[in-house]
Amino acid sequence: MTIRGAENVTPLYMAALFAQRDMASFLYGKDDTKKALTVEDRKAIFFTYIRTGFYDLALNLLKDHPELAVARDMNCDTALHVLARMPSTFARKDRGLLEGLISSFPGMKFMTHNKDSKSNQALQLVSCLWEEILKRDDLELTSLLGKPSQLSFDAAKLGNFEFLAELIGCYPDLSYELDNNNHTIFHEVGQIVQPSFREKKNSEGKTPQQIFSEEHEILLRSGELWMKKTAESCMLVATFITTIMFTTALSVPGGNDNNTGIPIRLRDTLFQVFALSDAIALSSSSISVLMFLSILTSR
């Protein structure tokens, strides 16, 4: 368990690198493994745990070695800087219709539970890291976070709100940090800004909404063009299906009675299934045509 492989790496590092959770957990539980780890080994394993999503294992390692909270990786980033750029890790939204339907099937409930569990573990790791960093003096704290704090601005730009909330809850002064443009983390971040700030104007007399509209004008035009092209293609297919279903409805299989005009196979089960399916297809495709037409004619 302590024999090193290529590039002098330990089995524990390899298990973490290839996301072998059970192996990594087993190896770290052995005293021989812990004793054989150097400072650089622990640092490499710690950052690898974070990047592979093993937040609970990273938390265990951090509790044993609190100095890892201020350790830096090859990019000179601390663990908090790495986590600040991982918004999907912390995303915990109310379940939508689709997720609710999926989780209702047998064997599927673990999917949403697993994601929430991972989010909780990541937040626990952030909390523990932040507590360790706040134990440092002001000078070291400024050095760790950067001036202005790149940590909080990276999280704000990527919409990592849960991460920010965890940090600001313990250190409110972080919300008043300014970047090189004299902006705080609240500029255009509408989800977490104070209501009174949403109409507040900057030095150029512009509100956040005006700035957002100006900076995203090109993206808006591109999105509009993509949407209309997609709607055109989909409407063509929907129209084609509508035409076929309409033609099928007129040409009844088996023909009609010459005297009454009623379909000869009206009482056949298969014919009733056919008629119902045709009616559903015709209705659905017609609604689709109208829906895509509304997209094409909308602003």
Side-chain angles (χ1 to χ4, degrees):
M1 291 187 293
T2 59
I3 297 176
R4 295 175 180 267
E7 300 183 11
N8 202 37
V9 298
T10 63
L12 177 56
Y13 174 81
M14 294 301 292
L17 184 65
F18 288 99
Q20 298 296 321
R21 169 182 285 277
D22 293 339
M23 178 63 76
S25 180
F26 171 80
L27 289 174
Y28 188 69
K30 301 298 179 182
D31 290 336
D32 290 345
T33 302
K34 292 182 179 180
K35 292 176 182 177
L37 295 178
T38 65
V39 173
E40 288 301 313
D41 289 334
R42 288 193 290 267
K43 186 169 71 172
I45 292 167
F46 181 63
F47 282 100
T48 305
Y49 277 160
I50 293 174
R51 290 190 171 92
T52 51
F54 294 167
Y55 305 113
D56 53 339
L57 300 184
L59 186 59
N60 291 337
L61 188 56
L62 178 64
K63 289 179 178 178
D64 291 340
H65 303 279
E67 68 277 5
L68 288 172
V70 297
R72 295 183 181 270
D73 64 4
M74 294 183 293
N75 299 319
C76 208
D77 288 329
T78 67
L80 275 178
H81 286 85
V82 175
L83 289 165
R85 302 185 190 114
M86 300 169 65
S88 59
T89 298
F90 302 93
R92 292 188 301 175
K93 299 179 180 177
D94 294 335
R95 293 192 302 174
L97 176 61
L98 180 60
E99 189 176 348
L101 289 173
I102 291 175
S103 63
S104 65
F105 287 99
M108 291 292 184
K109 291 186 178 179
F110 76 95
M111 295 173 65
T112 54
H113 171 73
N114 185 52
K115 181 167 179 60
D116 285 345
S117 177
K118 223 169 195 182
S119 299
N120 289 330
Q121 292 169 2
L123 283 173
Q124 289 175 16
L125 177 60
V126 169
S127 178
C128 193
L129 286 166
W130 196 221
E131 286 177 6
E132 288 298 325
I133 287 179
L134 290 179
K135 292 177 182 177
R136 317 286 164 168
D137 57 42
D138 291 342
L139 185 61
E140 189 176 3
L141 183 62
T142 301
S143 174
L144 284 168
L145 300 181
K147 187 65 178 177
S149 175
Q150 192 64 35
L151 175 72
S152 57
F153 284 98
D154 282 349
K157 288 175 182 177
L158 294 172
N160 200 346
F161 306 131
E162 288 81 3
F163 177 91
L164 276 175
E166 191 70 31
L167 266 58
I168 295 173
C170 299
Y171 190 67
D173 288 350
L174 197 65
S175 61
Y176 299 106
E177 289 279 352
L178 300 176
D179 64 6
N180 296 327
N181 297 318
N182 288 328
H183 290 166
T184 69
I185 58 173
F186 294 114
H187 283 80
E188 292 168 273
V189 187
Q191 290 89 336
I192 58 175
V193 72
Q194 295 179 20
S196 60
F197 285 2
R198 290 175 185 169
E199 299 302 324
K200 193 173 182 179
K201 296 182 179 180
N202 64 1
S203 57
E204 298 176 0
K206 296 178 180 179
T207 64
Q209 183 62 48
Q210 289 174 326
I211 297 173
F212 183 88
S213 299
E214 290 176 3
E215 293 184 353
H216 291 74
E217 186 175 0
I218 297 176
L219 184 62
L220 175 65
R221 300 303 175 196
S222 301
E224 180 184 2
L225 184 62
W226 173 84
M227 177 70 81
K228 291 198 172 183
K229 284 186 175 180
T230 304
E232 285 177 0
S233 302
C234 292
M235 191 172 74
L236 181 63
V237 176
T239 304
F240 181 66
I241 295 174
T242 303
T243 303
I244 294 175
M245 293 299 101
F246 185 75
T247 304
T248 305
L250 295 179
S251 56
V252 179
N256 299 324
D257 189 301
N258 293 329
N259 297 322
T260 61
I262 298 175
I264 296 174
R265 297 184 178 179
L266 180 62
R267 298 186 179 279
D268 291 354
T269 302
L270 289 178
F271 179 84
Q272 293 175 3
V273 171
F274 161 78
L276 181 61
S277 302
D278 185 79
I280 293 174
L282 181 60
S283 301
S284 301
S285 56
S286 299
I287 293 171
S288 297
V289 170
L290 293 174
M291 183 176 68
F292 292 122
L293 184 62
S294 67
I295 292 175
L296 288 173
T297 56
S298 63
R299 294 182 59 185

